[in-house]
Amino acid sequence: MIRSALLALLAACLLVAGLPPVPSGQGPAAPPARAITPVIAGPTVFVGVSGLTFEDLDPYLTPHLWSLVEDGAIGTMTPRSVRATSCPVDGWLAVGSGRRAADEPRRVCRTPAEPIESWVPDWAVYRLQAEGDNYDAPLGLLGGLPADAVHAIGPGAAIAAATPEGRVRSYAPVEDDLGAQIAESAADHDLSLVDLGNTREPGYSLTELDDRIGAGPTRWANAGMMKRMPTAGTTMPESSAMQFSAAVGPFHSAGVLTSSSTQQPGLVQTTDVLPTLLRSMPTGVEENFAGAPMVETEAAADTEVRYRQMLDRQVAVATQAALSAWFFPVTASVIAVLLGIAVVMGRRDMSRVRGPLRGLGLFFAALPVSTFLVNLVPWERSTSPDVAMLAALCGWALALTLLGLLGPWRRDPLGPLTVVATATVLVLAGDVIAGSPLQMSTLLGEPLLIASRFYGIGNSALALFCTALVLVLVAVCRAIPNRWARLAAVVTIVLAACVLLATPGLGTKFGSVPTLIIGLAVFTLAAAGIRLSIKRLVLVVGAAGLVMLLVLVLDWLRPADQRTHFGRFFDSILSGEAGAVIMRKIGMNIDILTQSWMTLLLPVIITGVFWLILSPRRFSVPHLPGLYRRYPMMRAAMASLAVLLAVGTVINDSGIVVPAVGILFIIPAFAHLVGQAESEAVRRERAGRGEGARDGVRAGEAGAGEHDSLHDAEARAGEGRAGTADARSAAEH
């Protein structure tokens, strides 16, 4: 009955999704990128527009903006700066410094003001805020170029072109004939920065913006000048949304933008703007930028396909933000109910609950990896993206649940859970190898508006991968009886995971190696039958540190423009800037922990869960002690997970999020194992009753046979006595 219900629910989810097929010309893999020409024979113009999104473009209402989509390379730009909400000033500070920088926190975003006698207003505020934000933004970097190199048009552009002291050396306000103004600037300067305002301000006209964009290329073409014009939305005030960006000119063809800082097709960030502009200028600047030059992929030239790709990304970002607000509280509440049922299971007659507990536990254990699998279907194309995403999520979780419950391994108490854990490890490993497309804008993936990570493995995915990997190792140890062979197998798998997660260009995760090595030391030693001691623990920590230092140095030895954040962090150690990076990470951990009263309770909840699982007798949890006796490595796995998630909390910048994601898998797995053990106990009890009944039947049959034999003997004896009496009577006669 349960199987039928699961199959019916799976079919319903697939029907609700109603997702259209992927159009031809759009594939999941991005073509290799080619670099934009380093030096161009002519001026470069950057036009900054705050709040401009792909939804604002229309081939009829904004034809000149739409022509940028048709003729240039386009991409979505994440506007994230220092805080969750970005303002126009933040975007222009990032253009001028190449790093995240922001205005002071304000309830209403500051509107950039015209320079006063060549001095940028409120520059001292920006400098003071940059010094306190721990992002080491070198304000005034672009303004430090030769005096005739950069010309600013508009107040926002003045912020980007200002010197470190806050003085803009070449500036003009925006005039009515912007085309002539830009043409004049391009004749005298290598780089022209133009601020065309904020589209979200009351009364702003997109039609007027479109006319101004159209006037510039016409004047340049008439002047016979070669040009390249990146047009980028920098930020949206008091909100966050992916912005429109494009690069057009004689050195560009229709395609999509990306950069080595994101490694995702059609995705760039504000910190990529300055490296791109400097790469096109005769005078370069050597700086350890947070971003990288934008490059152009050899994507399909079809305008509608590329526009649809950008629109899909914006829909995915918005849907993720909307669903995350309620999805995790609801999921946590359901998981808490499962935990409560699992704890009281066996203390009273709950035979009707064991089947649903077993199935629901496995379903919710499959739910975390299903949040990544949803990106295998184009749910963004649905008329109701949020419904389609949830339907795809439930569909994948049900598919994995059915695979675990209906396969040949279903008789093994650990079989179904091992299947889900193995699927989790393989999906996340494959995603890392493929460039992390499944982690972008999913519920447990990387939110692009936060812009913390665009490739490799994120903190949530790392916690899920490590948790599932420990349960896979339990199955591996069960299959290998020899302890030294077990040790070799466990060490090999752990080292392979370290290579996958820490290699630059693959996992690219600094905290993965110490998390895995230190966290799995308990399990590895238990697999070999070796006791954990302080001396051995120190050796393990030292080994993890040496491996990570080697990874940092090897990445740092590569050319500067090819380094990942590994090499950049080691460079910051050499330059003495690592302290600011570490303090920023610590500050992020504290901010995440203290953002609400619920997050403050998480350490207590997580500690209580592991205490309950590791000490089941103390809390009178049924079946779990028997499971530990039957599978001793399971208890070592739970202890190892406690250490692993604790190390991950300290090492990674997401802090308490790491163990929180871990228990999203552990609690449903625990509930499933309790339901599975209860089912096994009932099965054994029924089997015992069946044997007893058969023994009773055989005993009854044997007793009946003995009774019949005795009766026959007595009958024969009676017949004998009767015959003797008859013979005596005949003789006497």
Side-chain angles (χ1 to χ4, degrees):
M1 181 177 180
I2 295 176
R3 296 178 187 176
S4 302
L6 288 173
L7 288 170
L9 186 55
L10 174 61
C13 288
L14 293 176
L15 289 174
V16 171
L19 299 172
V22 181
S24 60
Q26 180 183 356
R34 57 181 172 85
I36 294 175
T37 307
V39 178
I40 64 173
T44 300
V45 179
F46 173 80
V47 179
V49 185
S50 300
L52 185 64
T53 67
F54 277 89
E55 287 91 339
D56 295 326
L57 308 185
D58 185 271
Y60 301 105
L61 299 179
T62 57
H64 297 109
L65 286 171
W66 185 259
S67 68
L68 300 179
V69 180
E70 294 178 325
D71 303 329
I74 59 174
T76 52
M77 176 176 288
T78 176
R80 173 62 188 262
S81 184
V82 174
R83 288 173 287 276
T85 300
S86 298
C87 292
V89 169
D90 304 355
W92 287 110
L93 289 173
V95 171
S97 65
R99 296 195 183 184
R100 292 186 183 184
D103 191 4
E104 62 182 351
R106 298 167 59 95
R107 295 185 60 185
V108 179
C109 287
R110 188 195 308 269
T111 300
E114 298 283 346
I116 302 174
E117 296 182 354
S118 299
W119 294 94
V120 175
D122 303 306
W123 185 258
V125 175
Y126 307 152
R127 291 286 306 227
L128 184 63
Q129 192 64 40
E131 294 172 359
D133 284 332
N134 290 325
Y135 280 91
D136 295 321
L139 298 190
L141 180 65
L142 184 59
L145 295 177
D148 60 345
V150 183
H151 178 68
I153 301 175
I159 295 175
T163 64
E165 296 77 23
R167 181 172 178 266
V168 56
R169 292 178 292 186
S170 180
Y171 175 78
V174 178
E175 299 176 358
D176 293 337
D177 193 352
L178 181 62
Q181 187 179 12
I182 294 178
E184 181 181 352
S185 171
D188 300 326
H189 304 278
D190 296 320
L191 174 63
S192 300
L193 303 177
V194 183
D195 175 18
L196 292 185
N198 177 10
T199 63
R200 301 311 180 204
E201 288 182 350
Y204 191 95
S205 172
L206 288 176
T207 303
E208 182 179 349
L209 170 65
D210 185 72
D211 292 338
R212 286 183 167 181
I213 292 295
T218 302
R219 291 299 182 91
W220 299 332
N222 293 337
M225 295 185 299
M226 304 181 72
K227 83 268 180 198
R228 181 176 61 159
M229 186 182 68
T231 301
T234 53
T235 52
M236 177 185 288
E238 302 176 90
S239 182
S240 291
M242 304 301 289
Q243 309 285 279
F244 166 75
S245 61
V248 296
F251 297 99
H252 298 277
S253 59
V256 297
L257 291 173
T258 185
S259 77
S260 61
S261 71
T262 67
Q263 296 188 15
Q264 298 293 334
L267 181 63
V268 293
Q269 50 182 336
T270 52
T271 52
D272 294 333
V273 173
L274 182 57
T276 304
L277 298 178
L278 293 177
R279 193 171 184 176
S280 66
M281 297 179 64
T283 303
V285 175
E286 292 293 333
E287 182 67 26
N288 190 12
F289 294 114
M294 299 180 195
V295 293
E296 180 182 329
T297 65
E298 300 284 355
D302 186 79
T303 301
E304 291 294 337
V305 171
R306 292 185 293 114
Y307 178 75
R308 185 73 248 183
Q309 286 178 321
M310 304 303 108
L311 209 58
D312 286 347
R313 191 182 298 281
Q314 293 192 173
V315 171
V317 169
T319 304
Q320 180 198 33
L323 290 182
S324 297
W326 62 266
F327 176 81
F328 292 109
V330 171
T331 302
S333 301
V334 174
I335 289 177
V337 173
L338 289 178
L339 179 63
I341 295 174
V343 169
V344 301
M345 174 73 73
R347 298 182 184 178
R348 59 190 67 179
D349 184 15
M350 301 181 68
S351 57
R352 295 182 179 180
V353 179
R354 63 175 178 270
L357 181 66
R358 178 170 168 255
L360 285 175
L362 196 63
F363 174 85
F364 279 94
L367 206 61
V369 70
S370 299
T371 63
F372 300 99
L373 288 171
V374 295
N375 273 356
L376 290 177
V377 294
W379 55 269
E380 306 96 331
R381 304 292 176 87
S382 173
T383 54
S384 299
D386 49 351
V387 176
M389 186 183 192
L390 292 175
L393 174 65
C394 294
W396 281 113
L398 281 170
L400 291 175
T401 302
L402 293 173
L403 180 65
L405 293 178
L406 304 181
W409 40 75
R410 64 184 181 275
R411 297 294 182 184
D412 189 329
L414 301 184
L417 184 60
T418 301
V419 169
V420 172
T422 303
T424 301
V425 171
L426 293 178
V427 167
L428 294 178
D431 182 52
V432 168
I433 295 172
S436 309
L438 300 184
Q439 295 183 56
M440 296 299 107
S441 298
T442 55
L443 289 172
L444 273 181
E446 296 303 305
L448 297 181
L449 287 176
I450 294 180
S452 58
R453 175 174 288 269
F454 303 101
Y455 60 93
I457 190 165
N459 290 327
S460 297
L462 174 67
L464 182 59
F465 178 89
C466 293
T467 303
L469 181 64
V470 172
L471 295 178
V472 172
L473 291 176
V474 172
V476 171
C477 291
R478 288 181 59 201
I480 303 175
N482 183 274
R483 66 171 184 168
W484 298 113
R486 286 200 305 267
L487 177 62
V490 171
V491 170
T492 301
I493 294 174
V494 172
L495 290 179
C498 289
V499 171
L500 175 69
L501 300 182
T503 300
L506 288 177
T508 325
K509 187 65 177 176
F510 179 81
S512 61
V513 171
T515 300
L516 279 171
I517 293 180
I518 300 174
L520 290 176
V522 175
F523 186 87
T524 304
L525 294 176
I530 302 173
R531 293 188 61 184
L532 180 65
S533 64
I534 298 297
K535 182 178 179 179
R536 293 190 178 101
L537 181 60
V538 171
L539 290 175
V540 169
V541 174
L546 288 176
V547 171
M548 279 313 304
L549 181 61
L550 178 63
V551 172
L552 294 178
V553 173
L554 290 177
D555 191 57
W556 176 76
L557 291 175
R558 301 197 299 177
D561 60 344
Q562 298 179 16
R563 295 172 187 164
T564 66
H565 61 279
F566 284 1
R568 292 195 295 268
F569 177 71
F570 187 76
D571 189 74
S572 69
I573 295 176
L574 298 179
S575 63
E577 299 177 354
V581 177
I582 295 173
M583 291 304 298
R584 185 172 72 245
K585 302 293 185 182
I586 294 175
M588 292 174 65
N589 282 352
I590 295 175
D591 290 342
I592 292 173
L593 182 62
T594 58
Q595 63 184 354
S596 70
W597 65 269
M598 294 181 65
T599 53
L600 283 172
L601 288 177
L602 277 177
V604 178
I605 296 172
I606 294 167
T607 302
V609 168
F610 276 104
W611 191 12
L612 173 71
I613 293 175
L614 291 173
S615 303
R617 295 186 183 278
R618 180 184 297 272
F619 296 94
S620 301
V621 179
H623 304 302
L624 204 54
L627 187 70
Y628 288 161
R629 287 193 301 270
R630 189 174 178 183
Y631 308 108
M633 292 305 300
M634 181 60 75
R635 184 181 181 87
M638 293 298 112
S640 185
L641 275 175
V643 176
L644 184 149
L645 294 176
V647 174
T649 303
V650 177
I651 293 294
N652 297 288
D653 53 12
S654 290
I656 198 64
V657 171
V658 173
V661 172
I663 65 171
L664 282 180
F665 187 92
I666 293 171
I667 292 179
F670 164 71
H672 166 76
L673 290 175
V674 170
Q676 187 88 334
E678 175 75 12
S679 299
E680 287 293 319
V682 172
R683 189 180 297 114
R684 288 195 298 270
E685 182 180 352
R686 289 177 178 175
R689 289 176 181 174
E691 285 296 326
R694 286 191 292 272
D695 291 343
V697 170
R698 286 193 294 269
E701 292 175 350
E706 293 176 359
H707 176 75
D708 293 341
S709 299
L710 180 60
H711 178 75
D712 293 342
E714 291 177 350
R716 287 192 295 271
E719 292 175 355
R721 287 193 297 270
T724 302
D726 293 341
R728 186 179 301 113
S729 177
E732 291 175 354
H733 178 74

